[in-house]
Amino acid sequence: MSDISRVRATMIGLSAVLMWATLGLFGAGSGAVPPFLLNAMCFGISGLLALSLVTAMGKLDRLKQPPRVWAFGTLGLFGFHFFYFTAIRNASPVDANLINYTWPLLIVVFSAFLPGEHLRVHHVIGTVLGLIGAALLITGGDGISFSGGSAIGYGAAVLSSLFWSSYSVLSRRLGQVPTEAVAGFCLMTSLLSVVCHLIWEETVWPQDMLEWGSVIALALFPVGLAFFTWDIGVKRGDIQVLGAAAYSAPLLSTLLLIAFGFGALTLPVIIACVAITVGAVIAAKDMLFQKSAPGTAAE
């Protein structure tokens, strides 16, 4: 695969980070819909839309994958959300979010074990800066206490981080599995979320057009298209750059919430902005500042 195609795949993967930045805004707009029901609705809508598109393109056969692939994809998507929701219910959401957001760092570290990948110092420096910035955003600069929850909550937060980082890195080993298969993973995740909702939650539907619109927006982008573009990125792009750049998601999410009146621009947010931006540039320096080979057209 050429450098150009690797860069293009990385850029496609980065679009997932941009879409995940809207999670906070659309999530706030979705009202009091409980997490597993919201998960079931969003993955159900996105999965059905993707399945319709795959069918229309005559590529339905691409969903015919071995059981191990179905298990891997479903456990990756559902496992992450299951343990994340468990974490925020059994520990302080601030603490749970902070532990959960170690997944970009773990992606960068785990990627060192992939064939053909090399973990360099600037990848680690850039990702650690991103983690520092994310910690500032999540804690508001008030420090870290880890005193507001149970062992179950903290353990679930660790597992959510491990599930998503492992899913992202191991997807590279399943590069032959077409991205269209993600449609099936979404539908299975929706089904399992329905089961969890019926067991643990009281049903609360969206109450008005704004809330329904927010649910649909979630399903179309951060809990829909983003998983397909992320799949392309981690399978064919620069996985270290994607891991470091993922820390821009909480930053952009915070800035969006501020822009729409759900927060204020504070000093910790400004410092976090600088740390995450500098970190992403450092981690991506090979891709950003690489010299084109003679005869290679720049895009």
Side-chain angles (χ1 to χ4, degrees):
M1 182 173 294
S2 68
D3 290 336
I4 292 297
S5 60
R6 181 179 172 91
V7 171
R8 184 181 295 118
T10 303
M11 298 306 293
I12 291 172
L14 288 174
S15 71
V17 177
L18 294 177
M19 285 184 272
W20 286 330
T22 65
L23 270 170
L25 182 63
F26 293 143
S30 64
V33 180
F36 281 115
L37 177 57
L38 185 61
N39 215 41
M41 293 168 66
C42 291
F43 275 108
I45 293 171
S46 61
L48 288 173
L49 287 175
L51 183 64
S52 300
L53 182 60
V54 169
T55 302
M57 296 171 64
K59 298 181 178 180
L60 192 59
D61 61 317
R62 297 195 176 187
L63 270 67
K64 296 179 181 179
Q65 300 296 326
R68 65 183 180 86
V69 173
W70 277 90
F72 169 78
T74 302
L75 285 174
L77 293 184
F78 176 75
F80 167 72
H81 290 87
F82 175 83
F83 286 113
Y84 177 71
F85 292 149
T86 301
I88 61 177
R89 287 180 173 188
N90 292 277
S92 161
V94 170
D95 293 348
N97 266 305
L98 186 59
I99 296 172
N100 172 69
Y101 253 103
T102 58
W103 67 258
L105 177 61
L106 292 178
I107 285 178
V108 174
V109 174
F110 292 165
S111 69
F113 299 98
L114 290 171
E117 295 293 341
H118 303 283
L119 183 61
R120 296 184 171 87
V121 174
H122 65 272
H123 293 137
V124 176
I125 292 173
T127 309
V128 170
L129 278 173
L131 177 60
I132 293 171
L136 277 172
L137 285 175
I138 294 168
T139 65
D142 293 332
I144 304 169
S145 63
F146 294 115
S147 61
S150 67
I152 293 176
Y154 295 138
V158 170
L159 287 172
S160 70
S161 178
L162 286 171
F163 258 73
W164 190 245
S165 56
S166 299
Y167 170 82
S168 298
V169 173
L170 291 175
S171 290
R172 186 70 155 240
R173 303 299 297 267
L174 297 175
Q176 77 282 2
V177 177
T179 296
E180 288 85 354
V182 177
F185 305 158
C186 289
L187 290 173
M188 290 301 297
T189 298
S190 176
L191 179 61
L192 291 173
S193 297
V194 169
V195 173
C196 290
H197 167 66
L198 294 175
I199 294 173
W200 286 303
E201 295 177 338
E202 179 182 351
T203 300
V204 178
W205 296 106
Q207 299 299 304
D208 53 35
M209 291 301 295
L210 174 62
E211 293 186 2
W212 276 109
S214 296
V215 170
I216 292 172
L218 283 168
L220 290 177
F221 300 109
V223 194
L225 181 60
F227 293 108
F228 293 85
T229 60
W230 185 252
D231 186 75
I232 294 171
V234 296
K235 285 179 177 175
R236 301 176 177 85
D238 190 321
I239 196 166
Q240 285 103 352
V241 171
L242 289 171
Y247 279 119
S248 64
L251 169 64
L252 295 173
S253 179
T254 301
L255 294 177
L256 275 174
L257 289 169
I258 291 171
F260 282 85
F262 291 99
L265 185 62
T266 63
L267 182 59
V269 171
I270 295 172
I271 296 174
C273 181
V274 174
I276 291 172
T277 302
V278 172
V281 171
I282 291 174
K285 78 177 186 68
D286 291 340
M287 187 180 75
L288 294 174
F289 306 114
Q290 66 180 347
K291 295 181 180 179
S292 298
T296 301
E299 288 194 353

